[in-house]
Amino acid sequence: MLLLLFLGHIFLRKLNSTGNKWAHLPDIAQWLKEDDSKIGMTLLLLTAFALLIRIAYKFEEEEYKRQSLFQNIAIAVCIYLRHMSNGAVVKIPLYSSSGIYEVQIFWGIIAISLINYGYRVIRKIKHYTYNFMSIMVFFIINMWVRISAMLHQPYNVILLPMQIIVSSIINTVLRENDSLDRGVFLHYWLGNVFYFYQGNSNSLGSVNIAAGYVGLQSYMPFVTAVYLIINTYSAPVLAYFLLIYHWKMILKRIVHTNKCYIAWRLLTTTAYMFFIIFQLNHLFVLSVYLPKLLYEAMYTATMCCSALLMVIVIAVQHALIRFDDVHRCHICGTGLKNGHAFVQYLDNQA
């Protein structure tokens, strides 16, 4: 397993050459973009789809596995047809499209998933309110991976299942020693590693502008900005959500994790701001240093929004527990406000 993981990282490192020292070197993505390499691009994309579908099927609840399987296959078909319209993968005979309708169908499936998960949440919390947190985190990861797969370049989709696999291995090793701090540190760096594997750098030229216009027929500034943020910072946000999911965190651990993430981001951004202040008279301050600061600032803002989302989820869980405490007791089954349910929840948090 470790050997396969090591070989996988070697492959991903060669996928996109990035950085000032290595950007000029040939990489796998450059070879896959050539017309003679469409078969290779297609096989890589199909492999990514197979891994994502298999992972989603494995972690899905038993009663929803078949439903999730059909949805993910439909999404994979939409993504493939979207890339086929751009000529990036092997074309299907007698089929032609601009790729707009496929993206619209994709968002239709996402809307159906939202309704489905809403029904599941309502159904689950009627019986056991503690399921709300795990269901919502799994839903967030599922949606994030699906949208990222749609926005990514076809050769970068493989990064999503590989990151999930690496995260799972890390958590399997660390949970034996209950090393949350190490898990937070490793997932923070895991997000950074796959961020650069995607081809991102400190230059604005590495931003995939095309991702901001996927499925759009007209210029929509807000939608374009959201698409670009999701595509660019897909890996760090996914690493954070995977950490929350695998550790099945309680309130105190989520707060601790959020503090660590935000502290590291603020430390990095603040340090770089001071560095730019000392370099204001530098000849390349606008072309070299400020783009890096923009990257860091957006990275920090994105992670703060992700942490805020988790805080909202846990706050809703608290509210559900309090509401359930008033109307129904988990211990005696009565509707009296006896405090049993909430006391039990607080004991679990401790």
Side-chain angles (χ1 to χ4, degrees), residues 249-261:
M249 289 190 175
I250 58 177
L251 177 60
K252 290 182 179 179
R253 288 189 169 185
I254 291 178
V255 172
H256 175 72
T257 301
N258 289 344
K259 287 181 178 179
C260 291
Y261 261 88

PDB file of all heavy atoms in Angstrom, residues 249-261:
ATOM      1  N   MET A 249     -15.767  14.471  14.493  1.00  0.00           N
ATOM      2  CA  MET A 249     -15.404  15.396  15.558  1.00  0.00           C
ATOM      3  C   MET A 249     -16.586  15.858  16.394  1.00  0.00           C
ATOM      4  O   MET A 249     -17.682  16.065  15.891  1.00  0.00           O
ATOM      5  CB  MET A 249     -14.704  16.619  14.968  1.00  0.00           C
ATOM      6  CG  MET A 249     -13.313  16.322  14.456  1.00  0.00           C
ATOM      7  SD  MET A 249     -12.456  17.830  14.056  1.00  0.00           S
ATOM      8  CE  MET A 249     -10.847  17.177  13.636  1.00  0.00           C
ATOM      9  N   ILE A 250     -16.311  16.052  17.659  1.00  0.00           N
ATOM     10  CA  ILE A 250     -17.238  16.694  18.569  1.00  0.00           C
ATOM     11  C   ILE A 250     -16.921  18.188  18.587  1.00  0.00           C
ATOM     12  O   ILE A 250     -15.979  18.650  17.939  1.00  0.00           O
ATOM     13  CB  ILE A 250     -17.135  16.085  19.977  1.00  0.00           C
ATOM     14  CG1 ILE A 250     -15.715  16.218  20.521  1.00  0.00           C
ATOM     15  CG2 ILE A 250     -17.571  14.633  19.958  1.00  0.00           C
ATOM     16  CD1 ILE A 250     -15.555  15.711  21.940  1.00  0.00           C
ATOM     17  N   LEU A 251     -17.710  18.935  19.337  1.00  0.00           N
ATOM     18  CA  LEU A 251     -17.617  20.394  19.295  1.00  0.00           C
ATOM     19  C   LEU A 251     -16.227  20.900  19.665  1.00  0.00           C
ATOM     20  O   LEU A 251     -15.655  21.745  18.972  1.00  0.00           O
ATOM     21  CB  LEU A 251     -18.669  20.994  20.232  1.00  0.00           C
ATOM     22  CG  LEU A 251     -18.654  22.517  20.366  1.00  0.00           C
ATOM     23  CD1 LEU A 251     -18.890  23.169  19.017  1.00  0.00           C
ATOM     24  CD2 LEU A 251     -19.697  22.969  21.375  1.00  0.00           C
ATOM     25  N   LYS A 252     -15.666  20.391  20.749  1.00  0.00           N
ATOM     26  CA  LYS A 252     -14.374  20.896  21.208  1.00  0.00           C
ATOM     27  C   LYS A 252     -13.284  20.657  20.169  1.00  0.00           C
ATOM     28  O   LYS A 252     -12.421  21.511  19.946  1.00  0.00           O
ATOM     29  CB  LYS A 252     -13.998  20.227  22.534  1.00  0.00           C
ATOM     30  CG  LYS A 252     -14.861  20.655  23.713  1.00  0.00           C
ATOM     31  CD  LYS A 252     -14.392  19.999  24.994  1.00  0.00           C
ATOM     32  CE  LYS A 252     -15.239  20.451  26.184  1.00  0.00           C
ATOM     33  NZ  LYS A 252     -14.799  19.803  27.446  1.00  0.00           N
ATOM     34  N   ARG A 253     -13.319  19.505  19.523  1.00  0.00           N
ATOM     35  CA  ARG A 253     -12.285  19.204  18.533  1.00  0.00           C
ATOM     36  C   ARG A 253     -12.454  20.048  17.273  1.00  0.00           C
ATOM     37  O   ARG A 253     -11.470  20.444  16.650  1.00  0.00           O
ATOM     38  CB  ARG A 253     -12.325  17.715  18.180  1.00  0.00           C
ATOM     39  CG  ARG A 253     -11.806  16.823  19.299  1.00  0.00           C
ATOM     40  CD  ARG A 253     -11.646  15.393  18.837  1.00  0.00           C
ATOM     41  NE  ARG A 253     -10.912  14.600  19.808  1.00  0.00           N
ATOM     42  CZ  ARG A 253     -10.541  13.340  19.613  1.00  0.00           C
ATOM     43  NH1 ARG A 253     -10.846  12.733  18.477  1.00  0.00           N
ATOM     44  NH2 ARG A 253      -9.865  12.687  20.530  1.00  0.00           N
ATOM     45  N   ILE A 254     -13.703  20.311  16.902  1.00  0.00           N
ATOM     46  CA  ILE A 254     -13.930  21.166  15.735  1.00  0.00           C
ATOM     47  C   ILE A 254     -13.424  22.577  16.002  1.00  0.00           C
ATOM     48  O   ILE A 254     -12.777  23.194  15.148  1.00  0.00           O
ATOM     49  CB  ILE A 254     -15.425  21.182  15.370  1.00  0.00           C
ATOM     50  CG1 ILE A 254     -15.846  19.816  14.828  1.00  0.00           C
ATOM     51  CG2 ILE A 254     -15.723  22.266  14.339  1.00  0.00           C
ATOM     52  CD1 ILE A 254     -17.308  19.726  14.484  1.00  0.00           C
ATOM     53  N   VAL A 255     -13.700  23.091  17.192  1.00  0.00           N
ATOM     54  CA  VAL A 255     -13.213  24.428  17.555  1.00  0.00           C
ATOM     55  C   VAL A 255     -11.694  24.459  17.546  1.00  0.00           C
ATOM     56  O   VAL A 255     -11.072  25.405  17.041  1.00  0.00           O
ATOM     57  CB  VAL A 255     -13.766  24.837  18.935  1.00  0.00           C
ATOM     58  CG1 VAL A 255     -13.114  26.133  19.411  1.00  0.00           C
ATOM     59  CG2 VAL A 255     -15.275  25.001  18.879  1.00  0.00           C
ATOM     60  N   HIS A 256     -11.073  23.418  18.091  1.00  0.00           N
ATOM     61  CA  HIS A 256      -9.609  23.344  18.109  1.00  0.00           C
ATOM     62  C   HIS A 256      -9.047  23.289  16.687  1.00  0.00           C
ATOM     63  O   HIS A 256      -8.070  23.983  16.365  1.00  0.00           O
ATOM     64  CB  HIS A 256      -9.171  22.113  18.899  1.00  0.00           C
ATOM     65  CG  HIS A 256      -7.691  21.876  18.886  1.00  0.00           C
ATOM     66  ND1 HIS A 256      -6.805  22.671  19.580  1.00  0.00           N
ATOM     67  CD2 HIS A 256      -6.934  20.941  18.232  1.00  0.00           C
ATOM     68  CE1 HIS A 256      -5.571  22.239  19.373  1.00  0.00           C
ATOM     69  NE2 HIS A 256      -5.624  21.190  18.564  1.00  0.00           N
ATOM     70  N   THR A 257      -9.675  22.485  15.834  1.00  0.00           N
ATOM     71  CA  THR A 257      -9.227  22.382  14.444  1.00  0.00           C
ATOM     72  C   THR A 257      -9.370  23.712  13.720  1.00  0.00           C
ATOM     73  O   THR A 257      -8.465  24.143  12.992  1.00  0.00           O
ATOM     74  CB  THR A 257     -10.034  21.298  13.713  1.00  0.00           C
ATOM     75  OG1 THR A 257      -9.862  20.046  14.384  1.00  0.00           O
ATOM     76  CG2 THR A 257      -9.575  21.166  12.271  1.00  0.00           C
ATOM     77  N   ASN A 258     -10.495  24.382  13.912  1.00  0.00           N
ATOM     78  CA  ASN A 258     -10.709  25.677  13.267  1.00  0.00           C
ATOM     79  C   ASN A 258      -9.686  26.706  13.729  1.00  0.00           C
ATOM     80  O   ASN A 258      -9.175  27.500  12.927  1.00  0.00           O
ATOM     81  CB  ASN A 258     -12.120  26.184  13.556  1.00  0.00           C
ATOM     82  CG  ASN A 258     -13.184  25.385  12.823  1.00  0.00           C
ATOM     83  OD1 ASN A 258     -12.887  24.648  11.888  1.00  0.00           O
ATOM     84  ND2 ASN A 258     -14.423  25.523  13.247  1.00  0.00           N
ATOM     85  N   LYS A 259      -9.384  26.696  15.013  1.00  0.00           N
ATOM     86  CA  LYS A 259      -8.381  27.633  15.531  1.00  0.00           C
ATOM     87  C   LYS A 259      -7.022  27.390  14.889  1.00  0.00           C
ATOM     88  O   LYS A 259      -6.317  28.340  14.521  1.00  0.00           O
ATOM     89  CB  LYS A 259      -8.283  27.502  17.053  1.00  0.00           C
ATOM     90  CG  LYS A 259      -9.457  28.089  17.812  1.00  0.00           C
ATOM     91  CD  LYS A 259      -9.266  27.935  19.316  1.00  0.00           C
ATOM     92  CE  LYS A 259     -10.421  28.559  20.085  1.00  0.00           C
ATOM     93  NZ  LYS A 259     -10.261  28.387  21.556  1.00  0.00           N
ATOM     94  N   CYS A 260      -6.656  26.117  14.747  1.00  0.00           N
ATOM     95  CA  CYS A 260      -5.362  25.791  14.138  1.00  0.00           C
ATOM     96  C   CYS A 260      -5.314  26.243  12.681  1.00  0.00           C
ATOM     97  O   CYS A 260      -4.346  26.891  12.249  1.00  0.00           O
ATOM     98  CB  CYS A 260      -5.105  24.289  14.232  1.00  0.00           C
ATOM     99  SG  CYS A 260      -4.807  23.670  15.900  1.00  0.00           S
ATOM    100  N   TYR A 261      -6.353  25.915  11.933  1.00  0.00           N
ATOM    101  CA  TYR A 261      -6.382  26.282  10.515  1.00  0.00           C
ATOM    102  C   TYR A 261      -6.334  27.793  10.336  1.00  0.00           C
ATOM    103  O   TYR A 261      -5.533  28.318   9.550  1.00  0.00           O
ATOM    104  CB  TYR A 261      -7.648  25.719   9.860  1.00  0.00           C
ATOM    105  CG  TYR A 261      -7.428  24.438   9.098  1.00  0.00           C
ATOM    106  CD1 TYR A 261      -7.516  23.206   9.732  1.00  0.00           C
ATOM    107  CD2 TYR A 261      -7.137  24.454   7.745  1.00  0.00           C
ATOM    108  CE1 TYR A 261      -7.319  22.021   9.041  1.00  0.00           C
ATOM    109  CE2 TYR A 261      -6.941  23.281   7.038  1.00  0.00           C
ATOM    110  CZ  TYR A 261      -7.033  22.069   7.686  1.00  0.00           C
ATOM    111  OH  TYR A 261      -6.834  20.901   6.992  1.00  0.00           O
TER     112      TYR A 261
END
